[in-house]
Amino acid sequence: MVNPFAGGGSIPLEALRVGADVFASDLNPVAVLLNKVILEYIPKYGQRLADEVRKWGQWIKKQAEKDLDFRFVIINLRL
């Protein structure tokens, strides 16, 4: 299946799911990245990729909280 304007990749994903050979592209680089992740990385790396994304997302969150904590004041309001 060839989809030269794949966008978010739902049509190529469904074609891949039923076992078709898929070629997807787009002019938008964000759409290309989404398609690459959905059509190549997730089938190839699966749970390992999800675990790594979760791990690094938590690390980024902790760093942002540490670096930005002094800029925000927490106010307890009792209503």
Side-chain angles (χ1 to χ4, degrees):
M1 198 274 305
V2 176
N3 189 348
F5 303 104
S10 59
I11 294 171
L13 178 61
E14 287 302 312
L16 188 65
R17 189 179 65 81
V18 297
D21 292 330
V22 176
F23 176 81
S25 67
D26 202 290
L27 297 175
N28 181 348
V30 174
V32 171
L33 179 61
L34 285 172
N35 283 314
K36 188 151 189 78
V37 169
I38 290 170
L39 301 174
E40 293 179 29
Y41 294 160
I42 290 175
K44 186 173 181 181
Y45 300 109
Q47 189 60 44
R48 191 171 123 215
L49 176 63
D51 293 341
E52 285 294 314
V53 169
R54 191 173 296 109
K55 178 182 88 172
W56 287 104
Q58 290 170 351
W59 180 83
I60 290 169
K61 181 181 178 217
K62 281 198 290 189
Q63 290 297 323
E65 287 172 347
K66 184 175 76 172
D67 293 346
L68 300 173
D69 193 33
F70 71 95
R71 297 184 186 265
F72 298 95
V73 177
I74 298 173
I75 300 173
N76 258 336
L77 297 176
R78 292 185 179 194
L79 301 175

